[in-house]
């Protein structure tokens, strides 16, 4: 017998606001009924040449008719991917480092299919400060110009790993919605990468979306032996929904899309060592085990429908759930990607 949440999930456009790595495998995402993902297509530390190669590689993969991917350049492509039973590829970065100080590179990467750029990844770059920088200096002058150019050409601005002032500056200077593709609320669980209510309001005021995450680095309450739960995740959804309206809430799991989690062992080690301040405490407590970084109920994307079930059990309406699952990101992406020719 099909439950109401199963039918709702099956019929909804489901967008994962952040998938941090893929080896090209789509099995678990498709099994979980996901329509499209914002995929980090190049390493967080990549420079221009590496990012260029990665963009071309992923573009070619997604444009291959025999692949299980559909390249997403407009929101209609997300619907097309769902209709074809394929996974929509929204090409994204988690660090604007490949842009350097060359504003014309924004248009170049847009032409190759890039549609989301996170301005900073934890530390500072030429654009602004990341969330682990103590000085919290916000956007640089170059960063302000990059924001304007991303607005102009139609690339979404992601602020998930940015410092509070960088988030506020970007929201102030952007004429398009800005996003937190994978971030939770510090009002619920204080973590280095989670956001204040002021930042959440600023993002929502632009028409943006906050993608709540199931990842332990954003969801762990710091108790030894106690992994995050779906209850913790839903608490963030409800707090942000009540704060700014459910039309500004989405999901950004921070899953990988891989055949096996061995493919991301290098990322597990990097996040524990190089960025110990953002999640090293959790990794020290539970080890470099990817499944441990997600609630017991949903260790892989194949269990994605359990999120819909949890939202329904929490009392969200069908319309609110459809928006959280993907409709809200779909609306924001349409606003951001639709530019005057």
């Amino acid at each position: 017998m099909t439950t109401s949440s199963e039918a709702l999930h099956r019929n909804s456009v489901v967008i994962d606001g952040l998938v941090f790595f893929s080896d090209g495998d789509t099995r678990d995402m498709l099994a979980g009924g996901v329509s499209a993902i914002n995929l980090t297509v190049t390493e967080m530390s990549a420079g221009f040449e590496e990012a260029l190669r990665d963009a071309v590689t992923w573009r070619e993969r997604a444009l291959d008719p025999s692949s299980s991917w559909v390249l997403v350049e407009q929101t209609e492509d997300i619907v097309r991917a769902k209709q074809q039973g394929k996974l929509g590829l929204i090409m994204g970065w988690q660090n604007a480092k490949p842009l350097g100080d060359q504003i014309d590179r924004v248009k170049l990467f847009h032409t190759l299919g890039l549609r989301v750029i996170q301005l900073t990844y934890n530390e500072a770059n030429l654009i602004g400060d990341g969330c682990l920088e103590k000085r919290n200096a916000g956007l640089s002058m170059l960063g302000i110009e990059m924001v304007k150019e991303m607005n102009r050409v139609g690339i979404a601005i992601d602020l998930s790993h940015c410092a509070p002032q960088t988030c506020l500056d970007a929201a102030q200077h952007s004429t398009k919605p800005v996003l937190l593709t994978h971030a939770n609320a510090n009002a619920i669980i204080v973590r280095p990468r989670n956001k204040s209510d002021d930042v959440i309001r600023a993002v929502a005021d632009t028409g943006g979306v906050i993608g709540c995450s199931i990842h332990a680095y954003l969801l762990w309450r710091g108790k030894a032996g106690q992994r995050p739960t779906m209850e913790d995740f839903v608490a963030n959804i409800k707090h942000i929904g009540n704060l700014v309206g459910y039309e500004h809430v989405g999901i950004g799991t921070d899953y990988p899309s891989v055949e096996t989690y061995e493919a991301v062992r290098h990322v597990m080690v990097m996040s524990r060592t190089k960025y110990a301040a953002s999640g090293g405490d959790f990794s020290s407590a539970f080890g470099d085990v990817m499944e441990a970084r997600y609630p017991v109920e949903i260790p892989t994307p194949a269990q994605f429908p359990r999120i819909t079930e949890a939202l329904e059990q929490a009392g969200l309406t069908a319309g609110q759930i459809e928006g959280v699952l993907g409709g809200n990101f779909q609306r924001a992406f349409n606003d951001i990607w639709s530019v005057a020719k």
Side-chain angles (χ1 to χ4, degrees), residues 104-218:
D104 59 351
R105 290 180 182 176
V106 176
K107 180 63 175 177
L108 168 65
F109 281 103
H110 179 272
T111 301
L112 290 174
L114 195 74
R115 288 297 180 269
V116 180
I117 296 178
Q118 183 173 264
L119 298 185
T120 65
Y121 187 77
N122 293 335
E123 62 261 280
N125 59 23
L126 295 178
I127 284 177
D129 273 7
C131 62
L132 299 185
E133 292 287 353
K134 294 181 179 179
R135 64 185 179 179
N136 189 29
L139 285 179
S140 64
M141 293 300 292
L142 174 67
I144 293 171
E145 293 306 309
M146 287 291 191
V147 164
K148 292 178 181 178
E149 182 67 359
M150 289 166 67
N151 286 164
R152 187 186 74 82
V153 305
I155 290 181
I157 295 166
D158 183 5
L159 305 171
S160 300
H161 282 251
C162 295
Q165 192 60 48
T166 304
C167 295
L168 295 172
D169 288 352
Q172 176 187 346
H173 290 284
S174 179
T175 58
K176 295 288 186 78
V178 297
L179 308 174
L180 292 166
T181 63
H182 58 303
N184 291 332
N186 266 324
I188 299 299
I189 300 172
V190 178
R191 298 289 296 171
R193 281 168 43 191
N194 286 344
K195 305 304 178 188
S196 69
D197 284 357
D198 285 345
V199 167
I200 291 168
R201 287 192 192 96
V203 169
D205 284 347
T206 70
V209 176
I210 298 89
C212 293
S213 183
I214 58 172
H215 197 287
Y217 284 12
L218 300 107

